[in-house]
Amino acid sequence: MPPLIRAELVQTPVQLYRYLLRCCRLLPSAAMQKHYRHAIRQGYNSHSDEDDRERIHLMIQRAIADADWILHKYTKK
């Protein structure tokens, strides 16, 4: 189950970047939000030159799954 409703609409790296930043807002503390925002920004910058469509698609799927895991880890009580 994706963390936000529109995860299935993410098709491009920019859409993924914005989606992950919106997921950060759901984290409980400001420190966690800052940490994950920085990690998202670093990942986006380090993969900005990727041009293989299949690899980009796999990275998008993996990032959404990782965001789901992180949100469940920190929000379940």
Side-chain angles (χ1 to χ4, degrees), residues 4 7 9-25 33-34 36-48 56 59-61 63-64 67:
L4 294 177
L9 299 178
V10 174
Q11 300 292 322
T12 66
V14 174
Q15 289 174 338
L16 175 66
Y17 179 75
R18 294 182 68 204
Y19 172 81
L20 293 174
L21 290 178
R22 284 192 297 270
C23 287
C24 279
R25 288 189 240 153
Q33 291 175 11
K34 183 177 179 183
Y36 284 107
R37 273 196 315 268
H38 178 73
I40 292 164
R41 198 169 293 122
Q42 290 290 76
Y44 181 79
N45 289 335
S46 69
H47 294 289
S48 64
I56 291 170
M59 286 191 293
I60 288 172
Q61 288 178 335
I64 290 172

